[in-house]
């Protein structure tokens, strides 16, 4: 149930849905302090031209660039929640930012870079990384795959083929929703992410 999600995950999903509605990729990041208070956020804006170099407009980068280092001396106790496994750029930025705790909703078999934590320098940072389980990652996977097929389709064969291999059920479900334009219709109606969460959960009987 939506109400059972931790507050940082609820906010991350809301921001991811905002990116979806705005035509970008439904990816978001939230940084919380040691007490769970949300400090800053970011969402993917790669297709919204918010940065001069839009390839840098990733969710984690947005959140980290907004994190005031001097105002937060205990950054190493902070946690970054991200809806998709960070790419090499974002994973490196997380490490260099001194945030030491990372929670990830969806694995990324294409660009996910958590494995770089095996490098000696990064391993010395003792990153605390957790991949979430349960319904929430599945619902975010469907949302992500829907947007990818909607935006790229057969123009990204190799990329989408790899995702299909890792998420066959989610891909089938997302493409079924896309064929009926369901999530885009919800977006145009201004539906909340809570409604999307409950719709996918109920329709797929998760």
């Amino acid at each position: 149930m939506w109400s059972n999600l931790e507050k940082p995950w609820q906010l991350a999903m809301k921001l991811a849905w905002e990116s979806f509605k705005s035509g970008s990729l439904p990816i978001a990041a939230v940084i919380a302090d040691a007490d769970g208070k949300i400090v800053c956020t970011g969402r993917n804006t790669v297709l919204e031209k918010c940065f001069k170099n839009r390839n840098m407009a990733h969710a984690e980068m947005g959140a980290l660039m907004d994190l005031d280092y001097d105002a937060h001396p205990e950054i190493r106790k902070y946690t970054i929640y991200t809806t998709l496994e960070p790419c090499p750029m974002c994973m490196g930025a997380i490490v260099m930012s001194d945030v030491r705790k990372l929670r990830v909703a969806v694995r990324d078999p294409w660009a996910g870079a958590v494995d770089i934590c095996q490098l000696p320098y990064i391993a010395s940072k003792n990153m605390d990384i957790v991949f979430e389980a349960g319904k929430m990652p599945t619902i975010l996977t469907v949302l992500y795959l829907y947007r990818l097929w909607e935006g790229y389709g057969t123009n990204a064969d190799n990329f989408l083929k790899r995702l299909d291999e890792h998420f066959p059920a989610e891909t089938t479900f997302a493409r079924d929703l896309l064929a009926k334009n369901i999530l885009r219709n919800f977006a145009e109606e201004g539906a909340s992410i809570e409604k999307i969460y409950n719709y996918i959960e109920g329709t797929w009987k998760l």
Side-chain angles (χ1 to χ4, degrees):
M1 293 179 60
W2 170 262
S3 59
N4 292 335
L5 293 179
E6 297 176 55
K7 295 300 182 184
W9 281 127
Q10 286 187 347
L11 180 54
M13 290 194 73
K14 288 178 181 177
L15 292 169
W17 180 235
E18 285 300 314
S19 288
F20 181 100
K21 290 191 293 183
S22 298
S24 288
L25 299 177
I27 306 169
V30 170
I31 299 176
D33 65 16
D35 296 320
K37 180 182 177 182
I38 293 169
V39 176
C40 51
T41 65
R43 67 175 183 85
N44 185 284
T45 57
V46 294
L47 298 176
E48 299 170 58
K49 298 182 179 179
C50 295
F51 286 20
K52 288 183 178 179
N53 183 345
R54 69 181 190 182
N55 288 331
M56 305 289 287
H58 289 202
E60 298 93 335
M61 296 296 290
L64 291 168
M65 291 296 289
D66 198 37
L67 181 59
D68 187 337
Y69 197 95
D70 294 329
H72 297 277
E74 297 189 327
I75 283 178
R76 292 185 181 182
K77 296 180 181 179
Y78 288 12
T79 301
I80 183 166
Y81 299 75
T82 180
T83 60
L84 184 70
E85 182 179 354
C87 70
M89 175 180 70
C90 293
M91 192 66 227
I94 291 168
V95 173
M96 300 308 292
S97 74
D98 276 348
V99 173
R100 290 289 176 262
K101 297 181 180 181
L102 170 65
R103 294 181 66 179
V104 182
V106 179
R107 288 186 179 272
D108 183 354
W110 180 257
V114 162
D115 285 350
I116 69 171
C117 291
Q118 297 173 21
L119 296 172
Y121 170 75
I122 300 177
S124 73
K125 304 300 182 181
N126 296 314
M127 296 292 295
D128 179 2
I129 302 173
V130 175
F131 284 88
E132 297 292 329
K135 297 177 181 179
M136 184 262 295
T138 300
I139 291 169
L140 278 168
T141 301
V142 170
L143 190 65
Y144 179 57
L145 291 169
Y146 182 108
R147 180 69 189 102
L148 290 175
W149 277 102
E150 179 185 55
Y152 300 99
T154 55
N155 292 321
D157 278 345
N158 291 335
F159 172 37
L160 290 169
K161 181 179 179 181
R162 185 166 179 83
L163 293 179
D164 187 16
E165 291 171 352
H166 283 77
F167 306 113
E170 291 88 342
T171 295
T172 298
F173 186 69
R175 292 185 69 179
D176 287 344
L177 294 179
L178 178 59
K180 301 172 184 175
N181 210 39
I182 287 175
L183 297 187
R184 183 54 57 190
N185 287 338
F186 275 138
E188 292 174 356
E189 294 168 5
S192 67
I193 186 57
E194 182 176 358
K195 183 174 181 177
I196 305 306
Y197 186 101
N198 292 335
Y199 176 83
I200 295 175
E201 180 183 33
T203 303
W204 206 4
K205 296 181 173 59
L206 292 174

